[in-house]
Amino acid sequence: MRPGSSGVIVNGLRDLYHLGAITPQQLTEARVWMSEIVVRIACERATDEDFAALDANIDAAAKAPDFDQRARHNREFHVILARATRNPIMVITMESIMAVFGNFIAQIGPSDNTFILPSRRRFMKHLRARDAAAAAAEMKKALARLQTKYMDQWDARSAA
């Protein structure tokens, strides 16, 4: 990838979210869809270095002392996975989604998502085996569960 910055795109998406042009439902939905595409491509293109970076990220998330740091590592996992596609557009798009997602999580507050780390470990087994269908299914299941939880938190916050 050539040097440059995805900052303009990240800031544009963040601005659209803050202006209400992108809803939390659309954000979480796009995250699920985008992740499925990224997973399928990463299953074909990921290298041993990508696997090592993803494993290191999972370990860092497991050791994180608080929700905010764990959430930051969990969002970074998706960016590392996008890098394994070797496509800068996928990386920039995922960086943008994850940046806005960080704002969304800050709005709804922390939650206990103990199912994420076991899911990530199962996901990595499928990724290493290059089993795109199983890897995508594992990712989709975890993200759908998160989407439901986050939208419930958003609705409760909005009702309050």
Side-chain angles (χ1 to χ4, degrees):
M1 185 160 54
R2 290 186 177 166
S5 172
S6 61
V8 171
I9 294 169
V10 170
N11 289 336
L13 196 61
R14 189 179 284 139
D15 289 347
L16 288 169
Y17 176 76
H18 285 302
L19 292 170
I22 297 170
T23 67
Q25 176 66 31
Q26 291 165 333
L27 176 66
T28 58
E29 188 176 65
R31 178 186 187 204
V32 172
W33 293 342
M34 182 71 181
S35 293
E36 183 171 358
I37 294 165
V38 165
V39 166
R40 290 183 182 281
I41 298 165
C43 274
E44 296 173 14
R45 298 181 180 178
T47 65
D48 289 340
E49 291 80 19
D50 295 320
F51 296 146
L54 290 163
D55 286 335
N57 173 276
I58 292 167
D59 291 343
K63 295 173 186 168
D66 59 43
F67 173 82
D68 289 336
Q69 289 184 40
R70 194 168 41 258
R72 185 176 47 78
H73 288 299
N74 287 338
R75 288 190 307 273
E76 181 64 19
F77 180 89
H78 294 279
V79 175
I80 295 166
L81 192 60
R83 286 186 195 122
T85 68
R86 306 289 179 264
N87 185 310
I89 296 169
M90 301 303 276
V91 177
I92 291 166
T93 303
M94 189 60 78
E95 284 176 345
S96 299
I97 290 171
M98 290 299 109
V100 177
F101 219 83
N103 293 95
F104 173 63
I105 297 301
Q107 285 182 299
I108 63 172
S111 63
D112 187 22
N113 302 317
T114 57
F115 59 92
I116 292 299
L117 285 173
S119 175
R120 291 274 161 85
R121 291 187 175 110
R122 288 188 302 270
F123 169 81
M124 288 303 297
K125 287 180 186 175
H126 301 311
L127 186 69
R128 277 195 169 85
R130 311 255 181 219
D131 186 342
E138 182 64 42
M139 181 66 74
K140 185 175 181 178
K141 179 181 172 187
L143 292 181
R145 189 171 173 186
L146 279 175
Q147 180 182 20
T148 299
K149 188 170 191 176
Y150 290 152
M151 292 315 301
D152 287 348
Q153 284 179 256
W154 176 259
D155 292 342
R157 180 188 172 277
S158 297

